[in-house]
Amino acid sequence: MSKGVVRVLKGLVIKIQFDEDMPDVNEMVFVDNESKTPLLVYSVDHGDTALCLNIAGDMSIQKGELVTRSGHSLEIPVGHEMVGRVWDAMARPIDGKPQLDEATLAKMPKRSIFRPEFQETSLANRPDEILETGIKVLDFFTPFVKGRKIGIIGGAGVGKTVLTMEMINNVATGSGALSIFAGIGERIREGHELYKTLDDNELLKTTAMFFGQMNENPVQRSLIALSAITLAEWFRDDQKKDILLFADNMYRYIQAKNELSTIIDQTPSEGGYQSTIFSDIKAMEDRLTTNENGSITALQTIYVPADDMSDPAVQLIGHELDSTIVLSRAVAAQGIRPAVDIMASSSSLLTPEIVGDRHYMLHTRVEAILQKYESLKGIIAIIGESELSAEDRDDYNKAKKLIQYFSQQFNVMEKMTGIPGEFHTREDTLNGIEEIII
């Protein structure tokens, strides 16, 4: 392989000049220094210059140092050995346990973290299978269906990560499926809490975790989800397994990509985000698919900056989802957990063909009652509840009972609150709703 020379150093951006045999985009190159610093080719400029990203953030690189091509993309080992461990974007262990030994690594297949060759996806031959979360409000309003994409949308501190932890605990235990978690740009404390929760509930043995937390540079944060998806694809296609993939937080992925765009001096779009925001989202979301081998069921959290649901990044990610669970600060302020804004949440999976006629008809009736409740609140504030008609008062009281009914305690919070967690089957939930409204 040909060698290049480091010509420009600008933070995480390094420009390398090659006299011949230029590297490909997304190829790995290594600096000929003591650390063998890994660099990722981002683009090729002016015919002889490769713009590279310093994945490890190694600041010891100097101008004039030689760089060697690898001839391959950023690859990670894939296999059952990855389960039960915590990895960074380059599949290096960050859980305090030793790296896999050389003999084991040599036997494990390697996969590029970037999009593989196109594979046809199909849901036609796979019946829709509902995965029960045990959380009443979700199982009723936004059913969790195998092979589909669900998003939890909300601002800071409204419970996105706790809700994700509860769903990992409940769904992974009930389904027996393999779980893969991608921590993208979130707090280290939250990652540690999740690890401890999974360990305490003996779920680590069926979970592989990838973390690029907010202390990492934007290169690692932008790659961590791709590494997690690569392992999920291997289990789906080579091992023919159904996978649960949890990503927390998709907005931080866009944020990391935006930071990279800034340091590379790309012109931003009108909304302030990178000009490639649409392709950045599609490149990831299009890999979360089901095919004849198996399925990837994805649960993604999406942070809403300044509680602005019209934010371009939030809107673009939302378009890729089958169901959206919106968490509201106003609902949280009422002491209701999970703080789901029922009227703002939606699902394209709530059809009689998927959830059945009984569930669908109950949902239609409950939605009507809750909509009426919202309209009556303004009237009651003026004239009082006693002035309502008997029918309106009855529906108003039903709505209040429903709102309380959909509040519940979480299993993952039991050690912190001392209150036992609850798990409700979908049948239990439907029976409870019928008792209130019929």
Side-chain angles (χ1 to χ4, degrees):
M1 286 290 176
S2 65
K3 289 187 177 286
V5 180
V6 175
R7 295 299 187 197
V8 177
L9 295 167
K10 182 184 176 184
L12 297 174
V13 178
I14 298 173
K15 292 186 178 181
I16 302 169
Q17 184 179 25
F18 289 83
D19 290 334
E20 57 182 18
D21 195 16
M22 291 292 293
D24 298 320
V25 173
N26 291 333
E27 182 177 336
M28 292 295 293
V29 297
F30 295 88
V31 181
D32 292 353
N33 59 9
E34 189 176 331
S35 306
K36 298 296 179 187
T37 306
L39 306 176
L40 178 67
V41 178
Y42 183 85
S43 63
V44 177
D45 301 325
H46 310 301
D48 66 346
T49 303
L51 190 152
C52 300
L53 299 175
N54 187 348
I55 301 176
D58 183 2
M59 294 296 131
S60 66
I61 303 171
Q62 299 180 16
K63 287 184 181 180
E65 287 186 317
L66 295 178
V67 176
T68 303
R69 286 187 58 188
S70 69
H72 59 76
S73 172
L74 173 52
E75 297 176 338
I76 64 168
V78 291
H80 295 279
E81 296 84 354
M82 303 292 286
V83 179
R85 300 288 304 273
V86 186
W87 311 93
D88 69 5
M90 299 178 70
R92 297 176 299 192
I94 53 174
D95 52 6
K97 299 176 183 177
Q99 172 64 283
L100 300 174
D101 60 75
E102 293 297 329
T104 301
L105 284 171
K107 294 176 185 176
M108 295 172 68
K110 307 294 189 296
R111 292 286 186 274
S112 167
I113 72 167
F114 298 100
R115 185 173 178 85
E117 292 184 9
F118 175 77
Q119 292 181 330
E120 185 174 348
T121 61
S122 174
L123 290 166
N125 299 323
R126 296 178 66 92
D128 290 306
E129 180 182 342
I130 296 176
L131 301 173
E132 291 190 347
T133 68
I135 303 169
K136 292 179 288 188
V137 69
L138 303 193
D139 286 338
F140 187 70
F141 290 99
T142 55
F144 201 53
V145 179
K146 183 182 286 188
R148 303 304 184 95
K149 289 180 277 195
I150 295 92
I152 301 175
I153 303 176
V158 292
K160 297 185 299 300
T161 301
V162 173
L163 184 55
T164 302
M165 289 166 61
E166 181 73 0
M167 292 183 76
I168 292 175
N169 180 73
N170 294 357
V171 179
T173 303
S175 69
L178 190 68
S179 300
I180 295 176
F181 181 86
I184 314 168
E186 283 295 303
R187 301 171 185 85
I188 299 170
R189 170 185 58 78
E190 291 179 345
H192 181 71
E193 287 175 356
L194 175 62
Y195 181 86
K196 288 293 294 177
T197 299
L198 295 179
D199 194 21
D200 292 342
N201 293 309
E202 298 186 351
L203 290 171
L204 269 183
K205 58 188 177 184
T206 57
T207 306
M209 306 177 76
F210 289 80
F211 278 109
Q213 301 297 79
M214 60 170 53
N215 63 305
E216 303 292 350
N217 65 57
V219 183
Q220 290 217 35
R221 283 185 274 122
S222 68
L223 297 175
I224 197 69
L226 303 182
S227 298
I229 292 172
T230 300
L231 182 60
E233 289 171 332
W234 181 81
F235 275 111
R236 179 195 64 191
D237 298 331
D238 291 56
Q239 303 298 302
K240 295 181 169 40
K241 288 183 176 291
D242 292 321
I243 303 300
L244 297 171
L245 188 138
F246 300 88
D248 183 17
N249 183 300
M250 275 298 295
Y251 180 81
R252 303 296 184 195
Y253 166 72
I254 299 301
Q255 199 172 40
K257 283 285 193 179
N258 196 20
E259 289 177 44
L260 285 181
S261 174
T262 301
I263 63 178
I264 293 167
D265 294 329
Q266 290 180 339
T267 303
S269 64
E270 193 172 328
Y273 289 99
Q274 66 273 29
S275 56
T276 56
I277 182 172
F278 180 76
S279 59
D280 289 341
I281 293 172
K282 292 294 288 183
M284 178 190 292
E285 297 287 353
D286 286 355
R287 293 172 64 176
L288 302 174
T289 57
T290 293
N291 59 27
E292 60 186 11
N293 299 313
S295 66
I296 298 177
T297 307
L299 175 72
Q300 309 166 35
T301 64
I302 301 101
Y303 165 68
V304 181
D307 290 348
D308 180 12
M309 292 293 291
S310 66
D311 185 271
V314 175
Q315 290 290 314
L316 281 173
I317 299 170
H319 289 158
E320 299 293 319
L321 305 173
D322 296 295
S323 300
T324 56
I325 302 158
V326 179
L327 300 184
S328 163
R329 203 171 302 283
V331 175
Q334 298 172 39
I336 297 171
R337 295 291 187 279
V340 177
D341 186 332
I342 294 172
M343 302 312 297
S345 301
S346 63
S347 175
S348 62
L349 306 176
L350 256 171
T351 65
E353 293 77 19
I354 294 177
V355 301
D357 290 333
R358 179 193 179 202
H359 186 156
Y360 179 76
M361 295 305 294
L362 277 175
H363 173 263
T364 303
R365 176 76 178 113
V366 167
E367 199 169 51
I369 290 173
L370 292 176
Q371 285 177 343
K372 189 173 184 179
Y373 170 79
E374 290 297 320
S375 63
L376 287 174
K377 282 198 299 185
I379 297 172
I380 290 171
I382 299 171
I383 64 173
E385 189 176 338
S386 60
E387 297 298 317
L388 296 177
S389 67
E391 182 184 349
D392 285 349
R393 195 181 308 120
D394 183 48
D395 284 344
Y396 185 76
N397 288 325
K398 284 179 180 177
K400 288 197 294 186
K401 289 179 183 178
L402 284 168
I403 291 169
Q404 283 303 126
Y405 178 73
F406 287 123
S407 179
Q408 75 182 77
Q409 298 295 327
F410 283 171
N411 291 291
V412 295
M413 297 300 290
E414 186 173 336
K415 288 187 177 180
M416 187 176 296
T417 62
I419 303 173
E422 305 169 37
F423 183 99
H424 298 268
T425 64
R426 192 163 68 102
E427 182 68 21
D428 290 340
T429 300
L430 297 181
N431 291 338
I433 290 169
E434 282 179 338
E435 289 179 9
I436 293 173
I437 68 173
I438 294 177

